Amino acid sequence: MHRQPNVHIHLGDCLPILQGMESGSVNLAYLDPPFFTQKVHRLAPRDRSREFSFDDLWSSQKEYATFLFERLSEIRRVVADDGSVFFHCDRNAVHLARAIMDDVFGSENFRSEIIWHYRRWSNSQRGLLPTHQTILYYTQSDNYTFNEIWTEYSPATNVDQILQRRSRDGSNKSVYARDEQGNAIPNGTKRGVPLSDVWDIPFLNPKAKERTGYPTQKPLLLLERIISLATNEGDCVLDPFCGSGTSLVAAQLLNRTAIGIDLSEDAVEITKQRLEEPIMSQSRLLDVGREAYRNADDNALAILQGVDYVPVQRNAGIDAILKQDFAGGPITVLVQRPGETLLEAARKLSKASASKGAKLMFLIAMSRGGCFDFAEELPTGVVVIESPALGIREHLDKLKRPDVLLEKASYLPPVKPESLFETL
Ligand SMILES: C[S@@+](CC[C@H](N)C(=O)[O-])C[C@H]1O[C@@H](n2cnc3c(N)ncnc32)[C@H](O)[C@@H]1O
């Protein structure tokens, strides 16, 4: 058995190891067992120096069902009364898994069927392209740990839905809440929409830094979400089919303790290495979250309304190219991302635009972080434009007394560029 602080990894069949564990000793079990694909899964790491594999071959559905039932019964015992179980599967055996989970945990403890959706390039097979896997979410009882996660409102949400509190009328219909005078009651803090059971999280791309080369490795973002939902700091996460150890790395990054088990020596070895040097893909996606990333793109495009442009996808340094040229080259645009200084963003834009021959580049400032001392450092050709959001935030800050209402309509010129520069 390997021991990292707060993480234990066991090599072997999980059944006897689970049998040796104390009852009620873990808070969350995440299982990603073989999916009944009737294949041997093989993959090589990036340097192609070796091949990792695991078998998913069964003589019958019955053999597979028995294998799951025995292990899930032990998991039922080792998870605490307020704990949860997330069972990862796909279309090959979701029907079997659901029936077995109902049997072992009780259908009354079924919480959700989570659809993990991702994009894939087309394959040549005839039929519908599979682009999801299923995670069955059960709890041990009614009294379970659940940390709400809120997501953005959809663009179709109307303003009343966001601003007004809702209540139930006499026939239990959801209506806008009203006070005694019949006025709508405001909703208070707008938290967004509770996370749904369809999770749009990208599959690990072949170049992702966190990719180990272990077959069927899951993204850290997916495991982080499960662990954040169902556990608190200091809780214990169990993964009896840990493969490359994704759940253990996520648990470690989120300050949970963890226990991992796998039959494969390669899997245990990779897991140990990952835990010693946990690598999250340093993609913007993982740094700032998918929504923030997507919104930043939307912000860039929203700000450009009224200008003729072509959106640019999959380029870290350019969000759009204007349809008009400047000095024989294209005009490029980038929106500053959360957590990034203006100077960093300006350099990124300049670097990405250089090979396109751009001599004029617009950087849309979303915050002023680190921008006070770089006037002379801004790459040539970069023009910094203040975003409306930044302008509104700063004007609000300037109104020292937010209770003072402006009596007349006012035009507030942009906050003077003590800090934003144009260098051409
Ligand atoms: C789908 S993979 C897990 C991938 C993992 N979630 C990741 O992100 O890398 C399934 C794993 O189950 C392991 N396995 C299969 N049968 C097992 C058993 N009886 N006990 C423990 N591990 C087993 C395989 O070696 C394989 O690593």
Side-chain angles (χ1 to χ4, degrees):
M1 184 184 72
H2 173 81
R3 235 171 215 271
Q4 278 261 331
N6 298 325
V7 182
H8 301 229
I9 310 165
H10 302 263
L11 172 64
D13 180 355
C14 58
L15 181 59
I17 297 168
L18 289 167
Q19 285 164 341
M21 285 175 60
E22 211 179 298
S23 301
S25 56
V26 306
N27 305 92
L28 161 68
Y30 165 78
L31 294 79
D32 179 21
F35 284 0
F36 197 69
T37 55
Q38 300 293 35
K39 283 185 196 157
V40 178
H41 293 269
R42 300 176 204 279
L43 203 65
R46 222 165 294 150
D47 64 8
R48 309 245 146 231
S49 55
R50 54 201 292 201
E51 186 182 70
F52 303 123
S53 69
F54 69 86
D55 284 6
D56 187 9
L57 299 169
W58 307 86
S59 61
S60 63
Q61 279 194 349
K62 189 166 174 222
E63 184 198 17
Y64 182 71
T66 308
F67 170 87
L68 290 184
F69 180 81
E70 288 171 347
R71 286 155 185 81
L72 283 165
S73 302
E74 282 306 314
I75 287 167
R76 171 78 161 151
R77 186 183 59 75
V78 301
V79 174
D81 286 347
D82 59 355
S84 312
V85 179
F86 288 73
F87 183 96
H88 199 136
C89 54
D90 74 1
R91 63 200 177 125
N92 288 295
V94 59
H95 55 304
L96 292 175
R98 178 77 191 263
I100 297 168
M101 294 288 282
D102 272 354
D103 193 18
V104 174
F105 291 90
S107 54
E108 69 283 8
N109 289 321
F110 167 74
R111 299 285 156 228
S112 294
E113 180 181 73
I114 298 163
I115 301 299
W116 169 33
H117 168 255
Y118 41 82
R119 295 199 184 280
R120 276 178 70 182
W121 279 266
S122 154
N123 64 9
S124 53
Q125 277 171 20
R126 189 175 148 86
L128 300 178
L129 183 69
T131 58
H132 81 276
Q133 294 178 9
T134 304
I135 301 168
L136 300 175
Y137 167 28
Y138 283 72
T139 56
Q140 289 283 76
S141 68
D142 277 353
N143 173 28
Y144 53 95
T145 301
F146 184 80
N147 301 315
E148 280 178 305
I149 295 182
W150 297 87
T151 60
E152 298 280 319
Y153 290 106
S154 86
T157 310
N158 74 40
V159 69
D160 289 341
Q161 288 169 325
I162 295 174
L163 291 181
Q164 293 178 15
R165 187 180 304 168
R166 298 188 78 85
S167 67
R168 300 261 161 201
D169 69 5
S171 31
N172 204 27
K173 201 172 131 210
S174 172
V175 291
Y176 293 125
R178 307 213 170 258
D179 63 17
E180 281 162 12
Q181 283 74 45
N183 300 318
I185 304 175
N187 199 17
T189 319
K190 299 157 205 61
R191 289 187 293 183
V193 182
L195 182 66
S196 81
D197 56 7
V198 178
W199 295 1
D200 193 9
I201 293 179
F203 222 88
L204 281 185
N205 77 56
K207 289 189 186 158
K209 284 211 179 100
E210 72 185 62
R211 187 179 268 287
T212 61
Y214 197 76
T216 78
Q217 179 185 340
K218 304 300 179 295
L220 271 169
L221 207 55
L222 178 70
L223 271 300
E224 278 191 334
R225 182 172 285 181
I226 292 174
I227 293 171
S228 308
L229 262 184
T231 64
N232 296 314
E233 285 203 11
D235 281 354
C236 180
V237 176
L238 165 70
D239 185 342
F241 300 90
C242 71
S244 65
T246 311
S247 59
L248 311 195
V249 175
Q252 190 178 54
L253 291 168
L254 292 169
N255 297 324
R256 275 66 168 173
T257 65
I259 301 169
I261 310 171
D262 205 288
L263 263 187
S264 146
E265 283 184 25
D266 284 338
V268 167
E269 194 48 43
I270 294 172
T271 300
K272 284 185 204 168
Q273 283 167 13
R274 279 183 92 183
L275 285 164
E276 264 151 34
E277 216 182 316
I279 298 178
M280 296 194 63
S281 295
Q282 284 306 313
S283 68
R284 302 295 316 155
L285 196 69
L286 291 173
D287 286 350
V288 301
R290 183 177 179 75
E291 292 306 317
Y293 188 74
R294 207 175 19 211
N295 290 343
D297 291 343
D298 291 347
N299 286 337
L301 300 184
I303 285 162
L304 292 181
Q305 268 178 25
V307 180
D308 261 354
Y309 69 90
V310 180
V312 174
Q313 309 290 339
R314 303 169 65 84
N315 186 313
I318 303 175
D319 287 320
I321 293 179
L322 301 194
K323 286 196 180 164
Q324 86 184 71
D325 285 357
F326 176 76
I331 304 173
T332 53
V333 183
L334 177 71
V335 65
Q336 180 191 13
R337 299 297 200 262
E340 181 177 70
T341 67
L342 270 178
L343 187 53
E344 283 164 355
R347 289 188 175 143
K348 209 165 75 175
L349 171 62
S350 167
K351 192 169 164 211
S353 304
S355 59
K356 317 282 181 261
K359 300 188 185 61
L360 175 58
M361 294 146 268
F362 287 106
L363 171 62
I364 298 172
M366 305 299 290
S367 77
R368 278 183 208 280
C371 66
F372 286 90
D373 52 0
F374 74 97
E376 56 298 336
E377 291 180 63
L378 261 187
T380 307
V382 172
V383 178
V384 179
I385 306 281
E386 179 181 297
S387 73
L390 177 57
I392 288 173
R393 275 203 310 272
E394 296 200 334
H395 280 298
L396 286 176
D397 287 347
K398 280 195 142 191
L399 293 174
K400 294 272 186 287
R401 291 181 49 203
D403 53 332
V404 175
L405 292 175
L406 298 175
E407 289 188 350
K408 283 194 292 184
S410 325
Y411 167 70
L412 295 176
V415 173
K416 267 294 139 216
E418 313 91 46
S419 45
L420 291 179
F421 310 95
E422 295 196 358
T423 61
L424 254 183

